[in-house]
Amino acid sequence: MPPTPPSTPARDEARIRDRGDACPGALRLHAADDGGLARLRLPAGRLTAHQVEALAVAAETLGDGRISLTSRGNAELRGLAEECGAELAALLAEAGLLPSPTHERVRNIVASPAAGLDGLGGPEVQLWAHELDALLCAEPWAAALSGRFLFVLDDGRADVAGLGGDVTLVAVRPGAGQETTAGQETPTRQETTAGQETPTRQETTAGQETPTRQETTAGQETPTRQEPTAWQEPAAGRLYVGGRAWLVAGADAPRAALAAAGAFLDAARTAGNGAWRVRELPEGSTPDVAGALDRAGIAAEPVPPAESLLVHAPPLAPGPLGAASLHVLAPLGRLTAAQLRALLPAEEVRLTPWRGAVVVGAAPGHQDHARLAALDSLGLITRPDSPWAGVSACTGRPGCAKSLADVRADAAPGSARGLPVHYSGCERRCGHPHGTWVDVVATADGAYLVDGAPTPRTALHDAVTTARNGAIARATTPSTPAETTR
């Protein structure tokens, strides 16, 4: 399989941005071929039951009846009428989904969605996300961040650390190095510098797979729950920006992330290239994070370069989660309003960067299989052995004018699991996964390229099966995939 196509210039090829980003928001709608598009930023993907219902109502009454989930755990509404902006804004504001109209596009905060539910990581990151969101919305200068700038908060299990955050916080136990959720050091797995990604599996020092990602083969029962093993002390945080890292107290972690974002804006203004993201800064324009932390009164210990490595694990698998929660995936990243409502009752719903949802308080342990079966009957992906797990697609035709095909209608998962598969209607590859994936791109002649190989539409199933089978073997081979933009 060829390397993941790079979608940003190399570090020494400074990108020049001569305008602000055009990312849609809840108030700034994008005109697509199928109507208006609104993107709702949901810090840590969190929704109350009332907000779930509000999204379903908005999709049904104002849009096309569906909710698209993004690779940042955000939600999109499509098919919106041109004149519905004020009505949509009022509906979202009433539900508490627009705390700051001036900052609504910069609330890009991804957090480990299982944090605090299964005892396998630092539960603080969900609180960090809430506090960071409040801090962002309270600072007028933060509204200058690009709609693509990304904060990533990992609870220590390394499930979201590899999502290419501009500012990444990883929870660690006080006095410890970066660890797995079981608390064991991880010197045996592939490690990369901050911002790089690798598909290798997280392992313990004994070489065994970490129990956060139990998988089954086809036909086996859904994996059993893991008994919580709660961290006994509050987590500290490792702050990663531009390939460097600092250790900060957990209580200071949200303020440290905000200070790092301010350091980026200062560096971008000095560089003068209009950078939207840290990786777009030219050489020599490194953000002065240490200075920003000092000015904010935040004690920070620099982490030696040799230890400034991010450890990346596979994504959260669908199925039971903790004592009373579930994780399900949306087919091709899109939910109907009825499917979204079916996630209730719940204490809260957390949309995930793998285009799924964690249903918190979904059912007691002895009832989870019945709840999963009900969601499965509605078309949601509830098992890790589903071939559709990890398969995503861009909007495609007829919604996108640039698309060369109706990729959602053509999508085939293949018959094997492995790396993610993404179907793209054109070479822009909108919404592609991070790291390395099976790359399926439509071509002008009505066919596709599967990892660069010309493939007729009728042969997609077999070609994707072959690619995913090969990916399983290659997933443990050390590599340095290209960075991605989303």
Side-chain angles (χ1 to χ4, degrees):
M1 180 175 62
T4 294
S7 48
T8 59
R11 179 70 177 175
D12 58 353
E13 300 176 35
R15 169 170 278 172
I16 305 298
R17 301 283 195 184
D18 57 4
R19 59 174 178 81
D21 76 272
C23 283
L27 301 179
R28 179 202 285 182
L29 305 188
H30 168 71
D33 273 18
D34 59 349
L37 162 65
R39 183 175 298 157
L40 285 65
R41 269 66 173 191
L42 304 172
R46 295 174 72 172
L47 292 166
T48 65
H50 177 59
Q51 290 168 340
V52 168
E53 176 61 24
L55 270 185
V57 168
E60 287 177 327
T61 62
L62 303 176
D64 64 2
R66 296 177 179 270
I67 300 92
S68 297
L69 309 185
T70 78
S71 60
R72 294 183 170 189
N74 294 321
E76 290 182 348
L77 299 173
R78 301 189 67 93
L80 299 168
E82 185 176 351
E83 66 278 3
C84 80
E87 185 177 356
L88 175 62
L91 191 158
L92 297 176
E94 187 280 330
L97 292 169
L98 275 179
S100 173
T102 57
H103 292 68
E104 59 100 1
R105 293 191 320 114
V106 305
R107 302 169 67 222
N108 292 302
I109 303 172
V110 171
S112 295
L117 301 180
D118 57 4
L120 295 176
E124 292 88 349
V125 298
Q126 289 289 327
L127 299 177
W128 289 355
H130 180 77
E131 183 178 348
L132 176 57
D133 182 37
L135 291 170
L136 270 174
C137 292
E139 289 289 354
W141 61 260
L145 290 168
S146 161
R148 299 188 184 186
F149 193 89
L150 178 63
F151 297 91
V152 170
L153 313 182
D154 191 291
D155 70 354
R157 75 184 70 212
D159 59 341
V160 298
L163 296 185
D166 295 283
V167 175
T168 298
L169 278 171
V170 178
V172 294
R173 298 185 188 184
Q178 184 156 341
E179 301 176 336
T180 68
T181 55
Q184 295 173 305
E185 298 294 337
T186 58
T188 58
R189 60 171 282 109
Q190 172 84 3
E191 295 178 319
T192 62
T193 56
Q196 294 177 322
E197 301 167 11
T198 176
T200 54
R201 183 178 302 278
Q202 181 163 342
E203 297 180 341
T204 66
T205 51
Q208 298 173 329
E209 294 181 7
T210 311
T212 58
R213 301 290 180 276
Q214 291 195 355
E215 298 179 351
T216 62
T217 55
Q220 291 184 326
E221 292 297 318
T222 305
T224 56
R225 297 184 185 277
Q226 291 298 316
E227 291 299 321
T229 306
W231 285 20
Q232 301 301 313
E233 302 176 81
R238 273 195 175 183
L239 175 70
Y240 294 84
V241 182
R244 301 181 64 189
W246 296 261
L247 185 67
V248 299
D252 292 331
R255 290 197 304 122
L258 183 70
F264 160 74
L265 285 178
D266 290 342
R269 280 190 289 267
T270 300
N273 70 328
W276 295 345
R277 308 200 59 188
V278 170
R279 67 171 66 105
E280 295 177 359
L281 292 170
E283 282 293 342
S285 297
T286 303
D288 181 15
V289 175
L293 294 173
D294 184 63
R295 289 189 293 274
I298 299 171
E301 178 183 344
V303 177
E307 300 175 18
S308 297
L309 304 173
L310 280 170
V311 177
H312 310 150
L316 191 68
L321 181 63
S325 300
L326 305 171
H327 179 219
V328 296
L329 299 174
L332 294 178
R334 191 173 289 184
L335 296 172
T336 65
Q339 287 172 325
L340 181 63
R341 284 194 178 99
L343 302 178
L344 301 177
E347 295 173 14
E348 72 176 11
V349 171
R350 302 176 184 176
L351 302 186
T352 77
W354 313 292
R355 296 179 169 86
V358 166
V359 185
V360 181
H366 64 283
Q367 298 177 8
D368 57 8
H369 292 288
R371 185 74 187 273
L372 283 169
L375 295 173
D376 183 82
S377 70
L378 293 173
L380 296 172
I381 300 167
T382 63
R383 300 175 58 93
D385 56 8
S386 168
W388 286 101
V391 180
S392 58
C394 71
T395 297
R397 288 180 178 173
C400 177
K402 293 183 172 64
S403 181
L404 301 174
D406 184 351
V407 292
R408 291 179 172 273
D410 293 343
S415 59
R417 292 175 297 124
L419 292 185
V421 179
H422 187 70
Y423 283 79
S424 303
C426 71
E427 292 183 351
R428 295 188 306 161
R429 297 175 171 86
C430 292
H432 66 71
H434 295 269
T436 304
W437 71 92
V438 177
D439 185 41
V440 187
V441 182
T443 56
D445 59 359
Y448 282 84
L449 297 176
V450 178
D451 286 339
T455 305
R457 180 183 289 108
T458 54
L460 281 175
H461 180 276
D462 290 343
V464 171
T465 294
T466 299
R468 296 191 95 178
N469 273 324
I472 292 173
R474 282 187 293 269
T476 55
T477 301
S479 62
T480 306
E483 293 185 300
T484 61
T485 58
R486 296 183 62 189

